[in-house]
Amino acid sequence: MAAPTAVSMLVSSILCVITFAGMQLFKTALGSTEIMTIVGGFIGSILFILLLTGVSNAETLLFGRGFQTKVPEVVFCILVAATASGLVHRVSFTTCILFSIVELFFINRVSSATYGGAQAGKSAAPVQRRKK
């Protein structure tokens, strides 16, 4: 069962703050080894998903039910999440962007399958011209 928009925005915002605080709390552990820097980037990509959910739900509350998240909001959320990961380690910044792009691809795929996104190859009926 899906949560209402306002509740989803509140929960994702709280989880976003908790995730950021956890990244800062375990900054030394996340930057200690190579694998942990990659884990730091993955946690940053989770932060991206939480940010994107919160921003999208806030826009839905402000602008109405038919509003969709566009590229500027996605870029903003990726930059915020990557910056938070960059505070942990430089490699976490890069891996956060890579993980976020992959997650965004799969989110778009699920959204298109669920809500019936734009279908390629379908066009309007051809225009017929009269002969003189």
Side-chain angles (χ1 to χ4, degrees):
M1 182 173 111
T5 305
V7 174
S8 178
M9 182 188 74
L10 183 66
V11 169
S12 65
S13 299
I14 290 171
L15 288 174
C16 183
V17 170
I18 290 171
T19 304
F20 178 74
M23 287 176 72
Q24 293 305 306
L25 188 64
F26 296 108
K27 179 191 282 193
T28 55
L30 289 172
S32 62
T33 62
E34 292 177 4
I35 192 71
M36 290 303 285
T37 57
I38 296 172
V39 170
F42 181 73
I43 294 172
S45 71
I46 293 172
L47 182 68
F48 161 70
I49 297 300
L50 293 170
L51 275 169
L52 188 63
T53 302
V55 167
S56 177
N57 286 331
E59 288 177 339
T60 300
L61 286 174
L62 291 173
F63 303 124
R65 194 96 175 118
F67 193 81
Q68 293 181 353
T69 303
K70 303 281 190 243
V71 174
E73 293 92 345
V74 172
V75 170
F76 170 75
C77 291
I78 284 182
L79 288 177
V80 170
T83 303
S85 296
L87 294 174
V88 172
H89 196 274
R90 291 178 296 182
V91 175
S92 295
F93 179 90
T94 306
T95 56
C96 174
I97 292 175
L98 295 175
F99 282 127
S100 296
I101 290 171
V102 170
E103 288 175 354
L104 188 63
F105 169 76
F106 284 107
I107 287 173
N108 188 25
R109 223 170 122 184
V110 169
S111 177
S112 295
T114 303
Y115 299 110
Q119 296 176 358
K122 296 207 175 186
S123 61
V127 177
Q128 296 179 355
R129 295 183 180 162
R130 291 187 290 162
K131 293 183 180 180
K132 293 185 179 183

